[in-house]
């Protein structure tokens, strides 16, 4: 299920496999707007794409070519969802 926000599509769930590697995030990001937990960063091995996902609620950015692009998408998504949440 994808949600469109501006030029981005945000996926409510991406299933991760053993072909995904979790990457340590230094510092902190905006918490998940749904559950207030910190997201985790994953690299899809073989494709070398990066995504951020909140494990408790599965909110994710989808896949990007760089960690900077994934972080920027997470921050934008969190900001936009926070403004529409009750």
């Amino acid at each position: 299920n994808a949600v469109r926000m501006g030029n981005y599509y945000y996926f409510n769930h991406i299933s991760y496999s053993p072909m995904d590697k979790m990457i340590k995030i230094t510092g902190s990001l905006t918490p998940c707007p749904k559950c207030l937990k910190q997201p985790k960063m994953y690299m899809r091995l073989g494709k070398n794409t990066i995504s951020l996902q909140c494990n408790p609620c599965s909110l994710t950015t989808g896949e990007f070519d760089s960690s900077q692009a994934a972080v920027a998408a997470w921050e934008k998504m969190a900001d936009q969802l926070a403004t529409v949440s009750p």
Side-chain angles (χ1 to χ4, degrees), residues 29-40:
L29 299 172
T30 301
C32 176
K34 290 174 131 182
C35 70
L36 302 178
K37 302 290 184 184
Q38 282 290 304
K40 298 197 182 313

Side-chain angles (χ1 to χ4, degrees), residues 11-14 34 53-60:
F11 298 88
N12 291 328
H13 180 71
I14 290 180
K34 290 174 131 182
Q53 179 180 5
C54 176
N55 286 338
C57 67
S58 298
L59 187 67
T60 185

Side-chain angles (χ1 to χ4, degrees), residues 58-72:
S58 298
L59 187 67
T60 185
T61 59
E63 297 179 6
F64 289 86
D65 291 333
S66 71
S67 58
Q68 293 86 357
V71 167

Side-chain angles (χ1 to χ4, degrees), residues 5-81:
M5 290 185 192
N7 293 330
Y8 297 95
Y9 284 93
Y10 298 97
F11 298 88
N12 291 328
H13 180 71
I14 290 180
S15 178
Y16 288 92
S17 72
M19 295 304 293
D20 297 321
K21 176 183 176 185
M22 190 166 60
I23 300 170
K24 182 177 171 114
I25 299 174
T26 56
S28 63
L29 299 172
T30 301
C32 176
K34 290 174 131 182
C35 70
L36 302 178
K37 302 290 184 184
Q38 282 290 304
K40 298 197 182 313
M41 184 177 287
Y42 293 92
M43 176 186 284
R44 174 76 30 117
L45 301 177
K47 290 175 66 178
N48 293 329
T49 55
I50 305 288
S51 62
L52 289 167
Q53 179 180 5
C54 176
N55 286 338
C57 67
S58 298
L59 187 67
T60 185
T61 59
E63 297 179 6
F64 289 86
D65 291 333
S66 71
S67 58
Q68 293 86 357
V71 167
W74 177 267
E75 296 292 338
K76 182 175 181 178
M77 176 180 62
D79 182 55
Q80 289 178 346
L81 289 177

